[in-house]
């Protein structure tokens, strides 16, 4: 039973991360209760604190309930007609003065498939601009690029999460899933209960690393060398799977030669991981009958993230740990619809169904579904950071939906300044985020529980997120916003506000593409636990496991890519002697726009901090709780010190969930990966100093 009319309980999914935990919602005395939904297989009833408290953001006291427009510098309430008229005029005037590409669109991986699809279509058809990208570029774009290069297809995990509990060994690289996807930790616990081994690679001894048999703690930005060092040992010890390499791969000689240049002692010097630990990891990985490598943002958010993931894939291929039951490489995607959001056209180079904008056949197919001429579709645009960096110069007006870059973009002070320099900014959001607060028009939209839509979780499982409660009267859905704007821009048709109608069109647009959803319908996923794409027709069961018979390359073979280690864009030096890495804590989500509005979560994680090893702290005279100034070549942030022996003594860590003085992204380096255009969030050089308190200064 999915929608129980007697109790009013509705089965749906969490608004936050890519696990898309199943939950049920029950309206009770004017409030919405989150209740367990044990039958949903991914989380089996378990929820983290964010999921449990998600309904608090539905409260009218914390969210936007009416449109706002800027009048002589301040935002004031407005009608929907006035607000939409202002947005249409703002976008149109930039277009008419400077040309179509003067209008930018920025989306998010939290948007449903329907919204991501409609946003991409809106940019290309209603605005005619090439300048669209989204925050997923900051998330898993490096893994996506590496996936495409090696396997010919990008689906984060090529197998269901449940397989993780049944393999023999998992190397988990730069994921702190005990805090970022807590219910998934159970699969790792089960892995070990079943006799499997867990290796965690993280510069910090996180809660996840504590659950491991072996914890490797490399210097940030050196995972590429680490993977190559392991591959070197695999070859030296004769543990390659020659039959698999011969039958199912291409490019091994070149990749092998590149790995052989990374001998263990050199790798120890680069990474700081002792050679005996490298040997132990190889033994665990190769002794098991099956094994997996899973990566998350640690190795991916680097200016060499694509090559780094490529090196881990090479390790899997050389040992025959890919394209087989219970073996393979997977990326743990992050946002609620991080997977689907990267498939249906809000990315700069992409059309729905994971098609390429520069592929004539793809243009023709999608243009036919959209009822436009293929020639009218613009070409690929800029990547997320490059787009933000161009605001106020050649991109003069921006429509933003589902992201808060003032907090989350790299080199955020510069990005904020670029946003402020726009001629016109419109933001559709649920709350008045730090970015929405800078807008000329703010459009208040409905949230997860107030609207129906589909998301695709980290396994590639397409799910129905159902509407469970009525939205407040003053808000509209993102789809209704696009519908209203398109009409004002002369497109009365083609932008329906009904999500199922949009999904039906998405099915046709994705048909025959890499991410083929054409066999998936609302009716079907309403009664199943989701369907794994590709699913090319209604009788097709979906594809939980990819690549078992062949990889998705033209010749069916996986491609080794010869990769070599290189330095981070910024290494520690005399002026900036410490490495900064950034990431997440359990109780805040992303830019914090939603979770900072939940009292229980704020009590658990009230503000920014700098995690420092006691030895490093001592060198700078920093004590527990002291305010620390962290400076990089981009700027300065200040936050209290948290001393802990669980982090390397050459590295500090800051979570990025807060604006203001403690904003980690004031410091981060926007150096981009040449292939994925992923910024280097995970490593930059900083210097530290203790900030004297006012009382001390006065003494
Ligand atoms: N609580 C919470 N959960 C979330 C989110 C959230 O904001 N809060 N966001 C969601 C999203 S969108 C995402 S993308 C995921 C992210 O999920 P994760 O990737 O698990 O999260 P991070 O904390 O960014 O990074 C993971 C780990 O990488 C380590 N790390 C840092 N530098 C390096 C390095 O150079 N190499 C290696 N190997 N490791 C390194 C960090 O110490 C950190 O422990 O989480 C999702 N879930
Ligand atoms: N230093 C550092 N920076 C990072 C990272 C890091 O590890 N280190 N990680 C990066 C990663 S992986 C990510 S994914 C980004 C995420 O960073 P952001 O892109 O800023 O993501 P969110 O904070 O989730 O922002 C989503 C915004 O959209 C709103 N919203 C939620 N649902 C909807 C909806 O359905 N419609 C609309 N219109 N709005 C909605 C929310 O209220 C919020 O304001 O941060 C990146 N930034
Ligand atoms: S793990 Fe992710 S999807 Fe599950 S309840 Fe927590 S935030 Fe929601
Ligand atoms: Mo992410």
């Amino acid at each position: 039973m999915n929608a129980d009319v007697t109790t009013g309980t509705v089965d749906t999914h969490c608004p936050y991360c890519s696990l898309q935990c199943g939950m049920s919602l029950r309206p009770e005395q004017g409030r919405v209760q989150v209740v367990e939904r044990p039958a949903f297989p991914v989380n089996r009833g378990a929820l983290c604190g964010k999921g449990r408290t998600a309904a608090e953001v539905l409260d009218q006291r914390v969210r936007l309930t009416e449109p706002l427009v800027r009048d002589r510098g301040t935002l004031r309430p407005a009608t929907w007609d006035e607000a939409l008229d202002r947005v249409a005029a703002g976008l149109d005037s930039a277009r008419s003065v400077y040309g179509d590409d003067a209008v930018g669109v920025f989306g998010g991986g939290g948007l449903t498939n329907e919204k991501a699809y409609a946003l991409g279509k809106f940019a290309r058809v209603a605005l005619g601009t090439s300048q669209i990208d989204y925050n997923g570029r900051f998330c898993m774009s490096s893994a996506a690029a590496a996936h495409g290069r090696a396997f010919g297809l990008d689906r984060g995990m090529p197998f269901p999460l449940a397989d993780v509990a049944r393999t023999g060994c998992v190397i988990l690289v730069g994921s702190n899933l005990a805090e970022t996807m807590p219910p998934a930790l159970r699969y790792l616990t089960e892995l070990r209960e079943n006799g499997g081994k867990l290796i965690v690679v993280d510069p910090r001894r996180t809660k996840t690393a504590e659950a491991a048999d072996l914890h490797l703690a490399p210097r940030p930005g050196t995972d590429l060398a680490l993977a190559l060092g392991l591959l070197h040992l695999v070859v030296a010890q004769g543990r390659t799977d020659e039959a698999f390499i011969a039958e199912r791969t291409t490019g091994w000689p070149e990749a092998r030669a590149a790995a052989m240049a990374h001998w263990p002692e050199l790798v120890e010097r680069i990474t700081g991981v002792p050679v005996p630990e490298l040997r132990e990891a190889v033994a665990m990985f190769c002794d098991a009958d099956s094994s997996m490598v899973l990566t998350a943002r640690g190795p991916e958010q680097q200016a060499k993230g694509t090559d780094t993931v490529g090196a881990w894939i090479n390790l899997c291929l050389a040992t025959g740990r890919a394209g087989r039951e219970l073996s393979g490489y997977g990326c743990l995607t992050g946002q609620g619809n991080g997977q689907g959001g990267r498939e249906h056209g809000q990315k700069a180079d992409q059309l729905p169904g994971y098609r390429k904008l520069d592929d004539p056949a793809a243009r023709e197919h999608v243009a036919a579904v959209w009822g436009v001429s293929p020639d009218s579709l613009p070409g690929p645009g800029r990547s997320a950071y490059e787009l933000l960096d161009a605001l106020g110069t050649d991109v003069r007006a921006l429509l933003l939906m589902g992201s808060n870059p003032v907090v989350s973009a790299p080199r955020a002070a510069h990005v904020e300044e670029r946003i402020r320099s726009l001629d016109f900014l419109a933001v559709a959001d649920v709350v008045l985020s730090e970015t929405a607060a800078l807008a000329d028009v703010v459009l208040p939209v409905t949230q997860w529980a107030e609207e129906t839509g589909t998301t695709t979780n980290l396994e590639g499982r397409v799910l129905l997120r159902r509407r469970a409660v009525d939205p407040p009267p003053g808000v509209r859905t993102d789809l209704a916003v696009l519908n209203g704007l398109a009409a004002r821009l002369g497109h009365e048709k083609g932008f329906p506000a009904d999500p199922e109608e949009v999904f039906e069109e998405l099915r046709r647009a994705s048909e025959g593409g890499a991410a083929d959803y054409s066999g998936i319908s609302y009716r079907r996923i309403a009664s199943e636990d989701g369907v794994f794409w590709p699913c090319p027709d209604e009788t097709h069961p979906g594809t939980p496991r990819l690549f078992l018979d062949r990889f998705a390359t033209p010749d069916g073979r996986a491609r080794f890519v010869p990769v070599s280690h290189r330095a981070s864009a910024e290494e520690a030096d005399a002026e900036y002697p410490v490495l900064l890495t950034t990431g997440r804590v359990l109780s805040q989500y992303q830019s914090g726009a939603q979770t900072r509005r939940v009292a229980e979560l704020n009590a658990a994680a009230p503000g920014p901090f700098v995690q420092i090893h006691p030895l490093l702290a001592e060198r700078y005279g920093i004590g527990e709780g002291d305010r620390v100034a962290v400076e990089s070549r981009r700027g300065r942030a200040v936050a209290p010190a948290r001393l802990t022996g669980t982090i390397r003594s050459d590295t500090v860590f800051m979570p990025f969930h807060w604006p203001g003085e403690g904003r980690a992204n004031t410091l981060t380096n926007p150096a981009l990966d040449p292939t994925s255009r992923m910024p280097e969030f995970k490593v930059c050089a900083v210097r530290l100093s203790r900030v004297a308190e006012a009382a001390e200064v006065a003494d």
Side-chain angles (χ1 to χ4, degrees), residues 17 50 139 173-177 179-181 201-204 206 218-223 296-299 301-302 333-335 581-590 653 656-657 682:
C17 86
K50 297 183 297 298
C139 189
V173 192
S175 155
N176 183 15
L177 58 69
E179 297 202 56
T180 53
M181 311 179 172
V201 182
D202 196 307
R204 302 184 302 142
T206 57
R219 220 155 48 85
T222 63
D223 303 83
R297 301 308 81 78
Q301 288 175 325
Q302 301 183 14
T333 291
Q335 297 181 83
T581 193
T582 61
R584 297 162 165 80
V585 297
L586 173 65
S587 297
Q588 297 288 353
Y589 188 71
Q590 314 276 61
F653 170 85
F656 78 98
H657 309 293
K682 285 296 190 265

Side-chain angles (χ1 to χ4, degrees), residues 100-124:
D100 292 342
D101 277 353
V103 179
V105 176
F106 200 91
L111 301 177
T112 59
N113 289 317
E114 293 78 359
K115 296 178 187 190
Y117 171 85
L119 194 64
K121 180 179 178 185
F122 179 79
R124 274 72 176 232

Side-chain angles (χ1 to χ4, degrees), residues 337-416:
N337 194 29
Q339 182 65 51
R342 80 206 210 205
E343 298 162 0
H344 298 298
Q346 61 177 330
K347 196 168 175 218
D349 58 354
Q350 196 188 61
L351 288 170
Y354 225 127
R355 290 184 155 93
K356 285 283 185 197
L357 200 42
D358 58 8
D359 168 6
R363 292 170 71 88
E364 202 162 312
H365 174 86
V366 175
V369 174
W370 289 351
V372 299
S373 134
D375 298 337
S376 72
L377 297 176
R382 289 184 176 90
S383 76
Y385 178 76
E386 292 165 293
L387 176 57
L388 295 171
D389 189 37
L391 301 181
T393 54
D394 54 320
V395 178
R396 313 292 304 197
L398 183 72
L399 171 66
L400 189 140
M401 195 172 261
S403 180
N404 185 13
V406 166
V407 179
S408 59
R411 196 186 173 198
H414 171 73
V415 166
E416 180 174 344

